[in-house]
Amino acid sequence: MTPDTTPATDSGSPVGAGMRTAFTELVGVRCPIVQTGMGYVAGARLAAATSAAGGLGIVAASTMTLEEMGRAIRSVKERTDAPFGVNIRSDADDAEERVRLMIAEGVRVASFALAPSQRLIGTLKDAGVVVMPSIGARRHAEKVAAWGADAVIVQGGEGGGHTGPVPTTVLLPDVVDAVDIPVIAAGGFFDGRGLVAALSYGAAGVAMGTRFLLTSDSPVGDEVKRVYLGKGVRDTVVTTRVDGVPHRVLTSDLVTRLESAGRATGFARALANAARFKRLSGLSWAAMLREGRRMRHGRELTWAQVLMAANTPMLLKAAMVDGRADLGVMASGQVVGLIDDLPSCAELIDRVMKEADEALARLPR
């Protein structure tokens, strides 16, 4: 699992512009850096900018219709010929259609927030698509590796969005020791020092969400970005009041109200949000109830939480698309408190790789 950190210079790139690891060899990118699939943030623009800069951009298609997903894929291909990935929900009703679309469009990497079935993995691998699920526990990594996954993204508790209780520094080596496929570390990464630290644990690269959200290529509005930039390392909270499972988000008045609301108030708010999401999405109440039942499966959720889970996209869209930080939920990793600028993806990746070279040079020989 030890990566080859030889700088990639065979293509004429300057030393420091790239780094060979098991992940870069698997996917065909220059730099062992992944931009995660953030709903309503990681569209064609951000994914293409990341991939063109040498990393792996991932289109977050879970919040897109099938038609929107197809347009996004084609838009990335128009902007760059570099490899990129697409993230979908493995439990979506149209997951198989989305997999067929990825195969037809020649997408290099299929990313999943929930473990895909062995059958879906097999379909993708037979078509030459790299399968890279995100996991939060050793046993999940072992399961998908046994099913044929090519790589895994391992997110520790520092990470934003849905997250677990185990920090990256504990979870990462645990998973690296358990599987024999490339492991990408996520949760708490934003610079070259972190990349070197992850490599020292045996990872083959790092994945970053909050750091890529806070770039000039990110579609998030300036006002919302300013909210992020004003936060410190203690200004996130893990709450189950968004969709019933642990979710790391920025602290805000809305999150405080969700946390303090009683059962009746919470249910009323969830119902109102569900009605708003129904109007915007065009889904029927029956479809939303099916979604809620699927999210409730295997979890001890109240029906208020089920409704919140079903319309979580509404809360994300309010902030990420509509620019309403006061009305939306803003997923964020703790690393937000260490970020104070908005570089382009190209500037960010170049900086991270240079910092990694400098960090390696400082290590005792």
Short mmCIF file of all heavy atoms in Angstrom, two decimals, residues 3-75:
data_model
loop_
_atom_site.label_atom_id
_atom_site.label_comp_id
_atom_site.label_asym_id
_atom_site.label_seq_id
_atom_site.Cartn_x
_atom_site.Cartn_y
_atom_site.Cartn_z
N PRO A 3 2.74 4.25 -1.31
CA PRO A 3 2.71 4.89 -2.62
C PRO A 3 4.10 5.22 -3.13
O PRO A 3 5.03 5.42 -2.36
CB PRO A 3 1.92 6.17 -2.36
CG PRO A 3 2.20 6.49 -0.93
CD PRO A 3 2.31 5.16 -0.23
N ASP A 4 4.25 5.24 -4.46
CA ASP A 4 5.46 5.74 -5.09
C ASP A 4 5.28 7.24 -5.25
O ASP A 4 4.48 7.69 -6.05
CB ASP A 4 5.64 5.06 -6.45
CG ASP A 4 6.80 5.64 -7.24
OD1 ASP A 4 7.54 6.47 -6.67
OD2 ASP A 4 6.96 5.29 -8.42
N THR A 5 6.01 8.02 -4.49
CA THR A 5 5.83 9.48 -4.52
C THR A 5 6.80 10.14 -5.47
O THR A 5 7.12 11.32 -5.33
CB THR A 5 5.99 10.07 -3.11
OG1 THR A 5 7.27 9.69 -2.58
CG2 THR A 5 4.91 9.56 -2.19
N THR A 6 7.28 9.40 -6.48
CA THR A 6 8.15 9.99 -7.48
C THR A 6 7.38 11.05 -8.25
O THR A 6 6.29 10.81 -8.75
CB THR A 6 8.62 8.91 -8.48
OG1 THR A 6 9.25 7.86 -7.75
CG2 THR A 6 9.59 9.50 -9.48
N PRO A 7 7.94 12.28 -8.37
CA PRO A 7 7.24 13.31 -9.14
C PRO A 7 7.02 12.86 -10.58
O PRO A 7 7.89 12.22 -11.18
CB PRO A 7 8.20 14.52 -9.07
CG PRO A 7 9.02 14.27 -7.85
CD PRO A 7 9.18 12.79 -7.76
N ALA A 8 5.87 13.17 -11.13
CA ALA A 8 5.55 12.79 -12.50
C ALA A 8 6.14 13.82 -13.45
O ALA A 8 5.66 14.94 -13.55
CB ALA A 8 4.04 12.71 -12.69
N THR A 9 7.19 13.44 -14.16
CA THR A 9 7.86 14.40 -15.04
C THR A 9 7.93 13.90 -16.48
O THR A 9 8.42 14.61 -17.35
CB THR A 9 9.30 14.64 -14.54
OG1 THR A 9 10.00 13.39 -14.52
CG2 THR A 9 9.31 15.23 -13.16
N ASP A 10 7.41 12.69 -16.74
CA ASP A 10 7.57 12.12 -18.06
C ASP A 10 6.79 12.86 -19.13
O ASP A 10 7.10 12.78 -20.30
CB ASP A 10 7.16 10.64 -18.06
CG ASP A 10 5.77 10.43 -17.53
OD1 ASP A 10 5.41 11.09 -16.55
OD2 ASP A 10 5.04 9.60 -18.11
N SER A 11 5.77 13.63 -18.74
CA SER A 11 4.96 14.34 -19.72
C SER A 11 5.44 15.78 -19.92
O SER A 11 4.78 16.57 -20.58
CB SER A 11 3.50 14.37 -19.27
OG SER A 11 3.38 15.06 -18.05
N GLY A 12 6.60 16.11 -19.34
CA GLY A 12 7.10 17.46 -19.49
C GLY A 12 6.65 18.39 -18.39
O GLY A 12 7.01 19.56 -18.39
N SER A 13 5.85 17.90 -17.43
CA SER A 13 5.39 18.74 -16.34
C SER A 13 6.56 19.01 -15.41
O SER A 13 7.46 18.18 -15.24
CB SER A 13 4.27 18.04 -15.56
OG SER A 13 3.18 17.80 -16.41
N PRO A 14 6.60 20.17 -14.75
CA PRO A 14 7.68 20.48 -13.82
C PRO A 14 7.60 19.58 -12.61
O PRO A 14 6.55 19.09 -12.24
CB PRO A 14 7.42 21.95 -13.46
CG PRO A 14 5.96 22.13 -13.69
CD PRO A 14 5.63 21.26 -14.86
N VAL A 15 8.77 19.37 -11.97
CA VAL A 15 8.79 18.62 -10.73
C VAL A 15 7.86 19.29 -9.74
O VAL A 15 7.88 20.51 -9.57
CB VAL A 15 10.23 18.54 -10.17
CG1 VAL A 15 10.22 17.90 -8.80
CG2 VAL A 15 11.13 17.77 -11.12
N GLY A 16 7.03 18.51 -9.07
CA GLY A 16 6.07 19.06 -8.12
C GLY A 16 4.69 19.19 -8.71
O GLY A 16 3.73 19.39 -7.99
N ALA A 17 4.57 19.09 -10.05
CA ALA A 17 3.26 19.24 -10.68
C ALA A 17 2.43 17.98 -10.54
O ALA A 17 1.22 18.04 -10.71
CB ALA A 17 3.42 19.59 -12.15
N GLY A 18 3.06 16.85 -10.25
CA GLY A 18 2.33 15.61 -10.14
C GLY A 18 3.02 14.67 -9.18
O GLY A 18 4.12 14.94 -8.70
N MET A 19 2.36 13.54 -8.91
CA MET A 19 2.93 12.55 -7.99
C MET A 19 2.28 11.21 -8.29
O MET A 19 1.07 11.11 -8.37
CB MET A 19 2.63 12.98 -6.55
CG MET A 19 3.18 12.07 -5.48
SD MET A 19 2.73 12.66 -3.83
CE MET A 19 3.78 14.09 -3.67
N ARG A 20 3.10 10.20 -8.47
CA ARG A 20 2.56 8.89 -8.80
C ARG A 20 2.19 8.12 -7.54
O ARG A 20 3.01 7.98 -6.63
CB ARG A 20 3.58 8.08 -9.59
CG ARG A 20 3.88 8.60 -10.98
CD ARG A 20 4.71 7.58 -11.76
NE ARG A 20 5.14 8.13 -13.03
CZ ARG A 20 6.31 8.73 -13.24
NH1 ARG A 20 7.14 8.87 -12.22
NH2 ARG A 20 6.64 9.19 -14.41
N THR A 21 0.99 7.62 -7.50
CA THR A 21 0.55 6.71 -6.44
C THR A 21 -0.30 5.63 -7.09
O THR A 21 -0.62 5.71 -8.29
CB THR A 21 -0.28 7.43 -5.36
OG1 THR A 21 -1.57 7.76 -5.91
CG2 THR A 21 0.40 8.70 -4.85
N ALA A 22 -0.70 4.67 -6.32
CA ALA A 22 -1.57 3.63 -6.86
C ALA A 22 -2.86 4.23 -7.39
O ALA A 22 -3.44 3.73 -8.36
CB ALA A 22 -1.87 2.60 -5.77
N PHE A 23 -3.33 5.31 -6.78
CA PHE A 23 -4.57 5.95 -7.24
C PHE A 23 -4.37 6.67 -8.57
O PHE A 23 -5.20 6.54 -9.47
CB PHE A 23 -5.07 6.94 -6.18
CG PHE A 23 -6.20 7.80 -6.65
CD1 PHE A 23 -7.46 7.28 -6.82
CD2 PHE A 23 -5.99 9.14 -6.94
CE1 PHE A 23 -8.51 8.07 -7.28
CE2 PHE A 23 -7.03 9.94 -7.40
CZ PHE A 23 -8.29 9.40 -7.57
N THR A 24 -3.30 7.45 -8.70
CA THR A 24 -3.10 8.18 -9.95
C THR A 24 -2.92 7.20 -11.11
O THR A 24 -3.38 7.46 -12.23
CB THR A 24 -1.90 9.13 -9.87
OG1 THR A 24 -0.69 8.37 -9.66
CG2 THR A 24 -2.07 10.13 -8.74
N GLU A 25 -2.26 6.08 -10.84
CA GLU A 25 -2.07 5.07 -11.89
C GLU A 25 -3.40 4.42 -12.26
O GLU A 25 -3.68 4.15 -13.42
CB GLU A 25 -1.08 4.00 -11.42
CG GLU A 25 0.34 4.52 -11.21
CD GLU A 25 0.97 5.02 -12.49
OE1 GLU A 25 0.94 4.28 -13.50
OE2 GLU A 25 1.47 6.16 -12.50
N LEU A 26 -4.24 4.18 -11.27
CA LEU A 26 -5.54 3.54 -11.50
C LEU A 26 -6.46 4.41 -12.33
O LEU A 26 -7.13 3.95 -13.26
CB LEU A 26 -6.20 3.22 -10.16
CG LEU A 26 -7.64 2.69 -10.19
CD1 LEU A 26 -7.68 1.30 -10.80
CD2 LEU A 26 -8.23 2.68 -8.78
N VAL A 27 -6.49 5.70 -11.99
CA VAL A 27 -7.47 6.61 -12.59
C VAL A 27 -6.92 7.37 -13.79
O VAL A 27 -7.66 7.77 -14.67
CB VAL A 27 -7.99 7.59 -11.50
CG1 VAL A 27 -8.96 8.59 -12.08
CG2 VAL A 27 -8.66 6.81 -10.38
N GLY A 28 -5.60 7.60 -13.80
CA GLY A 28 -5.00 8.31 -14.91
C GLY A 28 -4.91 9.80 -14.72
O GLY A 28 -4.94 10.57 -15.69
N VAL A 29 -4.80 10.25 -13.45
CA VAL A 29 -4.63 11.67 -13.17
C VAL A 29 -3.19 11.95 -12.74
O VAL A 29 -2.45 11.03 -12.39
CB VAL A 29 -5.61 12.15 -12.06
CG1 VAL A 29 -7.04 12.02 -12.54
CG2 VAL A 29 -5.40 11.36 -10.77
N ARG A 30 -2.79 13.23 -12.77
CA ARG A 30 -1.42 13.58 -12.39
C ARG A 30 -1.24 13.70 -10.89
O ARG A 30 -0.16 13.42 -10.36
CB ARG A 30 -1.03 14.92 -13.02
CG ARG A 30 -0.77 14.89 -14.52
CD ARG A 30 -0.16 16.19 -15.00
NE ARG A 30 -1.05 17.32 -14.82
CZ ARG A 30 -0.91 18.26 -13.91
NH1 ARG A 30 0.08 18.20 -13.03
NH2 ARG A 30 -1.76 19.28 -13.83
N CYS A 31 -2.27 14.15 -10.19
CA CYS A 31 -2.13 14.47 -8.78
C CYS A 31 -3.09 13.62 -7.94
O CYS A 31 -4.26 13.45 -8.32
CB CYS A 31 -2.43 15.95 -8.54
SG CYS A 31 -1.39 17.06 -9.54
N PRO A 32 -2.65 13.13 -6.80
CA PRO A 32 -3.50 12.27 -5.96
C PRO A 32 -4.47 13.09 -5.10
O PRO A 32 -4.47 13.02 -3.88
CB PRO A 32 -2.48 11.52 -5.11
CG PRO A 32 -1.35 12.47 -4.94
CD PRO A 32 -1.27 13.24 -6.25
N ILE A 33 -5.29 13.86 -5.80
CA ILE A 33 -6.23 14.77 -5.14
C ILE A 33 -7.61 14.59 -5.75
O ILE A 33 -7.76 14.65 -6.98
CB ILE A 33 -5.79 16.24 -5.28
CG1 ILE A 33 -4.43 16.45 -4.61
CG2 ILE A 33 -6.83 17.18 -4.69
CD1 ILE A 33 -3.84 17.83 -4.89
N VAL A 34 -8.61 14.38 -4.91
CA VAL A 34 -9.99 14.19 -5.36
C VAL A 34 -10.85 15.32 -4.83
O VAL A 34 -10.76 15.69 -3.67
CB VAL A 34 -10.55 12.84 -4.86
CG1 VAL A 34 -12.01 12.67 -5.27
CG2 VAL A 34 -9.70 11.68 -5.35
N GLN A 35 -11.69 15.86 -5.69
CA GLN A 35 -12.71 16.82 -5.28
C GLN A 35 -14.00 16.03 -5.07
O GLN A 35 -14.47 15.34 -5.97
CB GLN A 35 -12.88 17.91 -6.35
CG GLN A 35 -14.19 18.67 -6.30
CD GLN A 35 -15.10 18.26 -7.43
OE1 GLN A 35 -14.74 18.30 -8.60
NE2 GLN A 35 -16.31 17.82 -7.08
N THR A 36 -14.53 16.07 -3.87
CA THR A 36 -15.65 15.19 -3.54
C THR A 36 -16.95 15.65 -4.21
O THR A 36 -17.11 16.80 -4.60
CB THR A 36 -15.86 15.12 -2.02
OG1 THR A 36 -16.13 16.42 -1.51
CG2 THR A 36 -14.62 14.56 -1.34
N GLY A 37 -17.91 14.72 -4.27
CA GLY A 37 -19.19 14.98 -4.90
C GLY A 37 -20.17 15.64 -3.96
O GLY A 37 -20.96 14.96 -3.30
N MET A 38 -20.13 16.96 -3.88
CA MET A 38 -20.98 17.73 -2.97
C MET A 38 -22.24 18.16 -3.69
O MET A 38 -22.18 18.85 -4.71
CB MET A 38 -20.22 18.96 -2.47
CG MET A 38 -18.96 18.65 -1.69
SD MET A 38 -17.89 20.11 -1.48
CE MET A 38 -17.11 20.19 -3.11
N GLY A 39 -23.40 17.78 -3.15
CA GLY A 39 -24.68 18.11 -3.78
C GLY A 39 -24.86 19.61 -3.98
O GLY A 39 -24.62 20.40 -3.07
N TYR A 40 -25.28 19.99 -5.19
CA TYR A 40 -25.52 21.38 -5.59
C TYR A 40 -24.25 22.22 -5.66
O TYR A 40 -24.31 23.41 -5.95
CB TYR A 40 -26.53 22.07 -4.65
CG TYR A 40 -27.92 21.50 -4.76
CD1 TYR A 40 -28.50 20.86 -3.68
CD2 TYR A 40 -28.65 21.58 -5.95
CE1 TYR A 40 -29.78 20.33 -3.77
CE2 TYR A 40 -29.91 21.05 -6.05
CZ TYR A 40 -30.48 20.42 -4.95
OH TYR A 40 -31.73 19.88 -5.05
N VAL A 41 -23.10 21.64 -5.38
CA VAL A 41 -21.83 22.37 -5.46
C VAL A 41 -20.96 21.80 -6.58
O VAL A 41 -20.43 22.54 -7.40
CB VAL A 41 -21.06 22.29 -4.12
CG1 VAL A 41 -19.70 22.97 -4.24
CG2 VAL A 41 -21.89 22.92 -3.00
N ALA A 42 -20.82 20.49 -6.60
CA ALA A 42 -19.93 19.83 -7.55
C ALA A 42 -20.65 19.54 -8.85
O ALA A 42 -21.02 18.41 -9.14
CB ALA A 42 -19.35 18.56 -6.95
N GLY A 43 -20.85 20.59 -9.63
CA GLY A 43 -21.42 20.44 -10.95
C GLY A 43 -20.33 20.34 -12.00
O GLY A 43 -19.16 20.12 -11.69
N ALA A 44 -20.71 20.53 -13.25
CA ALA A 44 -19.76 20.39 -14.35
C ALA A 44 -18.61 21.38 -14.23
O ALA A 44 -17.45 21.04 -14.51
CB ALA A 44 -20.48 20.56 -15.68
N ARG A 45 -18.92 22.61 -13.84
CA ARG A 45 -17.88 23.64 -13.77
C ARG A 45 -16.78 23.28 -12.78
O ARG A 45 -15.59 23.34 -13.12
CB ARG A 45 -18.55 24.97 -13.37
CG ARG A 45 -17.59 26.10 -13.07
CD ARG A 45 -18.40 27.34 -12.69
NE ARG A 45 -17.62 28.30 -11.93
CZ ARG A 45 -18.13 29.39 -11.38
NH1 ARG A 45 -19.43 29.65 -11.50
NH2 ARG A 45 -17.36 30.23 -10.71
N LEU A 46 -17.14 22.90 -11.58
CA LEU A 46 -16.13 22.60 -10.56
C LEU A 46 -15.39 21.31 -10.89
O LEU A 46 -14.16 21.24 -10.76
CB LEU A 46 -16.79 22.48 -9.18
CG LEU A 46 -15.85 22.22 -8.00
CD1 LEU A 46 -14.84 23.36 -7.85
CD2 LEU A 46 -16.65 22.05 -6.71
N ALA A 47 -16.11 20.30 -11.32
CA ALA A 47 -15.48 19.02 -11.64
C ALA A 47 -14.50 19.17 -12.79
O ALA A 47 -13.38 18.63 -12.76
CB ALA A 47 -16.53 17.97 -11.97
N ALA A 48 -14.89 19.91 -13.82
CA ALA A 48 -14.01 20.09 -14.97
C ALA A 48 -12.77 20.89 -14.59
O ALA A 48 -11.65 20.58 -15.03
CB ALA A 48 -14.76 20.80 -16.10
N ALA A 49 -12.94 21.92 -13.76
CA ALA A 49 -11.80 22.73 -13.34
C ALA A 49 -10.81 21.90 -12.54
O ALA A 49 -9.59 22.02 -12.69
CB ALA A 49 -12.28 23.92 -12.52
N THR A 50 -11.33 21.01 -11.67
CA THR A 50 -10.46 20.15 -10.87
C THR A 50 -9.70 19.17 -11.76
O THR A 50 -8.48 19.00 -11.63
CB THR A 50 -11.28 19.37 -9.83
OG1 THR A 50 -11.97 20.29 -8.98
CG2 THR A 50 -10.38 18.49 -8.98
N SER A 51 -10.41 18.52 -12.65
CA SER A 51 -9.77 17.52 -13.52
C SER A 51 -8.77 18.17 -14.46
O SER A 51 -7.67 17.63 -14.69
CB SER A 51 -10.84 16.75 -14.30
OG SER A 51 -11.57 15.88 -13.46
N ALA A 52 -9.11 19.33 -15.01
CA ALA A 52 -8.18 20.01 -15.91
C ALA A 52 -6.91 20.42 -15.18
O ALA A 52 -5.84 20.52 -15.79
CB ALA A 52 -8.86 21.25 -16.51
N ALA A 53 -6.99 20.63 -13.86
CA ALA A 53 -5.84 21.02 -13.07
C ALA A 53 -4.99 19.84 -12.63
O ALA A 53 -3.96 20.03 -11.98
CB ALA A 53 -6.30 21.82 -11.85
N GLY A 54 -5.42 18.61 -12.93
CA GLY A 54 -4.62 17.45 -12.61
C GLY A 54 -5.18 16.55 -11.54
O GLY A 54 -4.65 15.46 -11.27
N GLY A 55 -6.26 16.98 -10.86
CA GLY A 55 -6.90 16.13 -9.86
C GLY A 55 -8.03 15.35 -10.47
O GLY A 55 -8.19 15.29 -11.70
N LEU A 56 -8.85 14.74 -9.61
CA LEU A 56 -10.04 14.03 -10.10
C LEU A 56 -11.27 14.81 -9.65
O LEU A 56 -11.59 14.84 -8.46
CB LEU A 56 -10.12 12.61 -9.55
CG LEU A 56 -11.34 11.82 -10.05
CD1 LEU A 56 -11.17 11.42 -11.51
CD2 LEU A 56 -11.60 10.59 -9.19
N GLY A 57 -11.95 15.44 -10.59
CA GLY A 57 -13.21 16.11 -10.29
C GLY A 57 -14.34 15.11 -10.30
O GLY A 57 -14.33 14.16 -11.10
N ILE A 58 -15.29 15.31 -9.42
CA ILE A 58 -16.45 14.41 -9.35
C ILE A 58 -17.73 15.23 -9.43
O ILE A 58 -17.93 16.16 -8.65
CB ILE A 58 -16.44 13.58 -8.06
CG1 ILE A 58 -15.24 12.63 -8.04
CG2 ILE A 58 -17.74 12.77 -7.92
CD1 ILE A 58 -15.15 11.75 -6.81
N VAL A 59 -18.59 14.88 -10.38
CA VAL A 59 -19.89 15.51 -10.52
C VAL A 59 -20.86 14.89 -9.52
O VAL A 59 -21.01 13.67 -9.46
CB VAL A 59 -20.45 15.32 -11.94
CG1 VAL A 59 -21.88 15.85 -12.04
CG2 VAL A 59 -19.56 16.00 -12.97
N ALA A 60 -21.49 15.72 -8.71
CA ALA A 60 -22.47 15.24 -7.73
C ALA A 60 -23.82 15.13 -8.41
O ALA A 60 -24.57 16.11 -8.52
CB ALA A 60 -22.55 16.19 -6.54
N ALA A 61 -24.16 13.94 -8.89
CA ALA A 61 -25.38 13.75 -9.66
C ALA A 61 -26.56 13.31 -8.82
O ALA A 61 -27.68 13.21 -9.33
CB ALA A 61 -25.15 12.74 -10.78
N SER A 62 -26.35 13.06 -7.53
CA SER A 62 -27.45 12.60 -6.69
C SER A 62 -28.57 13.61 -6.58
O SER A 62 -29.73 13.25 -6.36
CB SER A 62 -26.92 12.25 -5.29
OG SER A 62 -26.04 11.15 -5.35
N THR A 63 -28.24 14.89 -6.70
CA THR A 63 -29.25 15.94 -6.63
C THR A 63 -29.71 16.39 -8.01
O THR A 63 -30.37 17.42 -8.14
CB THR A 63 -28.71 17.14 -5.83
OG1 THR A 63 -27.46 17.56 -6.38
CG2 THR A 63 -28.54 16.78 -4.37
N MET A 64 -29.34 15.62 -9.04
CA MET A 64 -29.73 15.94 -10.41
C MET A 64 -30.72 14.90 -10.92
O MET A 64 -30.70 13.74 -10.48
CB MET A 64 -28.50 15.92 -11.35
CG MET A 64 -27.42 16.90 -11.02
SD MET A 64 -25.99 16.69 -12.16
CE MET A 64 -24.88 17.95 -11.54
N THR A 65 -31.57 15.30 -11.84
CA THR A 65 -32.37 14.33 -12.57
C THR A 65 -31.46 13.57 -13.52
O THR A 65 -30.30 13.97 -13.76
CB THR A 65 -33.48 15.01 -13.37
OG1 THR A 65 -32.88 15.82 -14.40
CG2 THR A 65 -34.37 15.88 -12.48
N LEU A 66 -31.96 12.50 -14.09
CA LEU A 66 -31.17 11.72 -15.04
C LEU A 66 -30.76 12.59 -16.23
O LEU A 66 -29.62 12.52 -16.70
CB LEU A 66 -31.97 10.51 -15.51
CG LEU A 66 -31.24 9.51 -16.41
CD1 LEU A 66 -30.10 8.85 -15.64
CD2 LEU A 66 -32.21 8.45 -16.93
N GLU A 67 -31.68 13.43 -16.69
CA GLU A 67 -31.39 14.29 -17.83
C GLU A 67 -30.33 15.34 -17.46
O GLU A 67 -29.42 15.62 -18.24
CB GLU A 67 -32.66 14.99 -18.31
CG GLU A 67 -33.69 14.07 -18.96
CD GLU A 67 -34.40 13.18 -17.93
OE1 GLU A 67 -34.43 13.55 -16.73
OE2 GLU A 67 -34.93 12.13 -18.33
N GLU A 68 -30.44 15.91 -16.26
CA GLU A 68 -29.45 16.88 -15.80
C GLU A 68 -28.08 16.23 -15.66
O GLU A 68 -27.06 16.84 -15.98
CB GLU A 68 -29.89 17.50 -14.48
CG GLU A 68 -31.07 18.43 -14.61
CD GLU A 68 -31.66 18.83 -13.26
OE1 GLU A 68 -31.42 18.10 -12.26
OE2 GLU A 68 -32.36 19.86 -13.20
N MET A 69 -28.07 15.01 -15.18
CA MET A 69 -26.81 14.27 -15.05
C MET A 69 -26.15 14.10 -16.41
O MET A 69 -24.93 14.30 -16.56
CB MET A 69 -27.08 12.92 -14.40
CG MET A 69 -25.89 11.99 -14.35
SD MET A 69 -26.33 10.40 -13.55
CE MET A 69 -25.03 9.33 -14.19
N GLY A 70 -26.91 13.74 -17.40
CA GLY A 70 -26.36 13.58 -18.75
C GLY A 70 -25.79 14.87 -19.28
O GLY A 70 -24.70 14.89 -19.88
N ARG A 71 -26.51 15.98 -19.06
CA ARG A 71 -26.01 17.28 -19.53
C ARG A 71 -24.73 17.66 -18.81
O ARG A 71 -23.79 18.21 -19.41
CB ARG A 71 -27.08 18.36 -19.35
CG ARG A 71 -28.26 18.24 -20.31
CD ARG A 71 -29.07 19.52 -20.35
NE ARG A 71 -29.71 19.81 -19.08
CZ ARG A 71 -30.92 19.37 -18.74
NH1 ARG A 71 -31.62 18.61 -19.58
NH2 ARG A 71 -31.47 19.70 -17.58
N ALA A 72 -24.67 17.38 -17.51
CA ALA A 72 -23.47 17.71 -16.74
C ALA A 72 -22.26 16.91 -17.23
O ALA A 72 -21.16 17.46 -17.37
CB ALA A 72 -23.71 17.45 -15.26
N ILE A 73 -22.46 15.64 -17.49
CA ILE A 73 -21.37 14.80 -17.99
C ILE A 73 -20.85 15.35 -19.31
O ILE A 73 -19.64 15.50 -19.52
CB ILE A 73 -21.83 13.34 -18.14
CG1 ILE A 73 -22.06 12.71 -16.77
CG2 ILE A 73 -20.81 12.53 -18.94
CD1 ILE A 73 -22.72 11.33 -16.83
N ARG A 74 -21.77 15.67 -20.21
CA ARG A 74 -21.35 16.17 -21.51
C ARG A 74 -20.67 17.53 -21.39
O ARG A 74 -19.73 17.84 -22.14
CB ARG A 74 -22.55 16.22 -22.46
CG ARG A 74 -23.06 14.82 -22.85
CD ARG A 74 -24.14 14.88 -23.90
NE ARG A 74 -25.41 15.35 -23.35
CZ ARG A 74 -26.30 14.57 -22.75
NH1 ARG A 74 -26.07 13.27 -22.61
NH2 ARG A 74 -27.43 15.06 -22.30
N SER A 75 -21.11 18.33 -20.44
CA SER A 75 -20.49 19.64 -20.22
C SER A 75 -19.05 19.49 -19.74
O SER A 75 -18.16 20.23 -20.17
CB SER A 75 -21.31 20.45 -19.20
OG SER A 75 -20.72 21.71 -18.97
#
